[in-house]
Amino acid sequence: MGATSVKSRILDLLSDVVIDNTAIGQFATDAAKEIINVLPDEMLWSMSTTTNVTGSGAAITSARILSVSRNGYMSREIPFSDVARYEPNSGSIYEATAKSPVYYKKAGKVFILPTASSGATVEHVNYPTIAFNDDLTSFVGAPDEIEHLIIMKTAIKARLSELNEFQDDTEEHNLKMADLQLLQREYEGALGTFLAGFSKPEQTREEQ
């Protein structure tokens, strides 16, 4: 287990954990997904990747989609159940065009209209699968603050899970509950500070 592994960083916060390593990995995986989903798109660009969309679609099965574009024009999402009215040459006022493309999701894939053989891409952030002994520096592009949020959220999940193991030990249960409440406050404060710090430059630019 590396010195900066998920488990070692959790132990820095909790001193001890009684749940197994598999559970720690699952909690970290869930925490990363939750944090990716709650952050604004603008904060995730450094972690994003792109996948080309062809006529057969682009397989995007475990990721948050940030944007879809076709030849430099932003594509907006439509429901698959309503796709017929957006088909090119449909005669509909909603018809998708080269300068006003649309995309839809179906069976784990992203499709774009008008269909393109090239020049269409999905920008997305893949949800990572994290093991207890992983080093989060391998979470490519993630700022240190996001890594720390993942660790804190994982610790919260671990401590919450442990409460069930100490229902019959009032003293230990109360100690772990106090740990949990402190972690939750620290997490909320860290998340709020991170979001506020990111928004300040935008506000400054708007005011100038």
Side-chain angles (χ1 to χ4, degrees):
M1 185 170 63
T4 57
S5 69
V6 170
K7 185 172 183 178
S8 66
R9 291 175 69 175
I10 288 173
L11 288 172
D12 287 340
L13 296 175
L14 297 180
S15 298
D16 69 295
V17 288
V18 299
I19 59 172
D20 61 38
N21 291 335
T22 300
I24 290 174
Q26 186 59 59
F27 290 152
T29 296
D30 294 343
K33 182 175 182 179
E34 290 176 23
I35 290 166
I36 287 171
N37 284 340
V38 77
L39 295 178
D41 290 359
E42 302 79 34
M43 301 180 76
L44 297 172
W45 66 270
S46 64
M47 301 160 56
S48 69
T49 187
T50 57
T51 299
N52 294 329
V53 187
T54 63
S56 57
I60 309 290
T61 55
S62 184
R64 175 176 168 180
I65 294 174
L66 301 183
S67 66
V68 180
S69 62
R70 182 184 187 279
N71 293 327
Y73 290 94
M74 184 177 68
S75 178
R76 61 187 178 86
E77 185 177 6
I78 61 168
F80 169 65
S81 59
D82 204 27
V83 70
R85 72 171 65 200
Y86 295 91
E87 291 281 359
N89 304 314
S90 64
S92 167
I93 60 172
Y94 301 102
E95 178 182 325
T97 66
K99 292 186 177 182
S100 184
V102 298
Y103 76 94
Y104 60 92
K105 293 176 285 192
K106 175 189 175 186
K109 289 187 175 183
V110 172
F111 297 85
I112 198 164
L113 295 174
T115 302
S117 57
S118 63
T121 59
V122 181
E123 181 190 15
H124 55 94
V125 176
N126 292 323
Y127 298 130
T129 298
I130 302 173
F132 78 98
N133 58 349
D134 279 348
D135 183 340
L136 286 188
T137 57
S138 62
F139 193 8
V140 180
D144 290 343
E145 294 90 345
I146 291 180
E147 287 186 25
H148 185 56
L149 288 172
I150 292 172
I151 294 299
M152 294 182 74
K153 190 70 171 180
T154 303
I156 288 170
K157 290 177 177 291
R159 192 53 99 213
L160 187 60
S161 175
E162 287 180 334
L163 290 177
N164 295 325
E165 303 290 329
F166 294 91
Q167 293 290 350
D168 298 327
D169 187 338
T170 303
E171 183 179 356
E172 190 66 23
H173 185 276
N174 289 342
L175 287 172
K176 290 185 180 296
M177 177 61 78
D179 261 0
L180 175 62
Q181 293 171 339
L182 178 61
L183 277 169
Q184 288 174 327
R185 288 196 297 271
E186 290 180 349
Y187 171 77
E188 291 167 3
L191 179 61
T193 299
F194 182 40
L195 292 173
F198 182 84
S199 64
K200 276 185 179 179
E202 271 310 313
Q203 292 171 353
T204 301
R205 284 196 293 270
E206 289 174 2
E207 291 168 0
Q208 289 177 345

